[in-house]
Amino acid sequence: MAKKASKKNKPIYLLAAATIVILGELFNIFFGFGGMTAPLKAETSVHFIDVGQGDAELILSGGEAVLIDAGPTAAGDTVVAYLKQQGVTKLRAAIATHPHEDHIGGMDKVLKAFPTEVLLLPDKTATTRCYERMLDAAETTGAKVVVPKVDERIFFDSGAQLTFLSPSPEAVYSNTNNYSIVSLLSAGGKNVLFMGDAETEIEEALLRQGTDIRCDVLKVGHHGSSTSSSPDFVERAAPSIAVISCAKDNDYGHPHRETIELLNRLGIETHITADEGTYVYEIPAAS
Ligand SMILES: [Zn+2]
């Protein structure tokens, strides 16, 4: 049954023109380029939730919530409890950056706990149990499964917006990490860049394309692995704060020494969930 359900629920593609209308109408996601962000009408916060070895970030803005990743399977209950504690009752969107267990393992529990308008995924499927569980949960709860395109964005009523920067739907990568949905939150003149597990190949592509990656806060790619965070990229992004999400004494040696040395050398204030737990970045509303 799970197989059948996942086939039926296979991520859908919508042509650009259709995307504007359909997503715009249904999910208030629009296609567009750049532009100034409006004055922020409500306090906005980004919560880098301590989920052990994995990722989960919650964006809260004026009563609206978007979740980027849901941690590993073992952290599903933690993520649900954290969202409830923050007063979340529903999600505008849940973003599964890429189909690795440390990012989507807890997603089925999240979808079952909170009505979710749309589950956003890259066009990269998996045959793993956690992936099947996630798609089954989307189907049973009615969350629409959609592959976002580069430059599409989620607009919050507060004036904040989350723009998708990567991957291009037609791109093919040998490394699943590089399918990570990379997104940039712009709110009240502050930018937070979420890298998922994207590695240097994606960083180079973003630099080559001239994508504006300048940010105040960088969710460091791939748990601080040295396969992400090339000096060029971090220098260009120029964050004042970096956040690394990983577990203490994890099997991968995350974060890697090279990454920490680079962040230190550039004078970037670095927060590591393994050391200090959940980190919250707050952006005040315009006065
Ligand atoms: Zn990961």
Side-chain angles (χ1 to χ4, degrees), residues 160-182:
Q161 46 184 276
L162 184 70
T163 306
F164 301 105
L165 305 183
S166 188
S168 298
E170 65 277 7
V172 176
Y173 303 106
S174 55
N175 181 344
T176 297
N177 286 337
N178 286 331
Y179 284 93
S180 288
I181 292 179
V182 174

Side-chain angles (χ1 to χ4, degrees), residues 106-119:
M107 194 61 90
D108 61 325
K109 286 194 169 168
V110 167
L111 294 175
K112 285 174 185 165
F114 304 98
T116 301
E117 287 179 43
V118 57
L119 172 65

Side-chain angles (χ1 to χ4, degrees), residues 41 141 188 232 245 278:
K41 286 186 278 188
T141 60
D232 275 0
S245 186
T278 297

Side-chain angles (χ1 to χ4, degrees), residues 184-203:
L184 182 75
L185 175 72
S186 302
K190 299 289 186 188
N191 293 318
V192 183
L193 180 59
F194 301 96
M195 292 303 295
D197 279 357
E199 301 195 0
T200 49
E201 184 179 348
I202 298 302
E203 296 174 354

Side-chain angles (χ1 to χ4, degrees), residues 39-195:
L40 194 59
K41 286 186 278 188
E43 185 185 289
T44 298
S45 53
V46 182
H47 304 241
F48 301 85
I49 306 169
D50 180 11
V51 290
Q53 187 62 21
D55 262 17
E57 295 101 38
L58 172 67
I59 301 170
L60 288 178
S61 188
E64 294 184 289
V66 169
L67 182 71
I68 303 176
D69 288 329
T73 306
D77 290 335
T78 302
V79 175
V80 168
Y82 188 87
L83 267 57
K84 283 183 177 166
Q85 185 200 322
Q86 294 301 317
V88 173
T89 55
K90 60 184 179 175
L91 291 169
R92 285 282 307 279
I95 300 168
T97 60
H98 65 296
H100 279 161
E101 193 269 345
D102 58 323
H103 297 252
I104 65 165
M107 194 61 90
D108 61 325
K109 286 194 169 168
V110 167
L111 294 175
K112 285 174 185 165
F114 304 98
T116 301
E117 287 179 43
V118 57
L119 172 65
L120 297 168
L121 311 170
D123 185 25
K124 175 67 179 169
T125 55
T127 54
T128 52
R129 290 280 301 278
C130 61
Y131 191 78
E132 297 282 340
R133 277 201 328 264
M134 177 176 71
L135 291 188
D136 285 349
E139 183 171 37
T140 53
T141 60
K144 301 280 182 294
V145 180
V146 173
V147 176
K149 288 178 184 295
V150 169
D151 279 327
E152 281 179 344
R153 56 191 68 195
I154 296 173
F155 291 100
F156 296 81
D157 289 342
S158 64
Q161 46 184 276
L162 184 70
T163 306
F164 301 105
L165 305 183
S166 188
S168 298
E170 65 277 7
V172 176
Y173 303 106
S174 55
N175 181 344
T176 297
N177 286 337
N178 286 331
Y179 284 93
S180 288
I181 292 179
V182 174
S183 58
L184 182 75
L185 175 72
S186 302
K190 299 289 186 188
N191 293 318
V192 183
L193 180 59
F194 301 96
M195 292 303 295

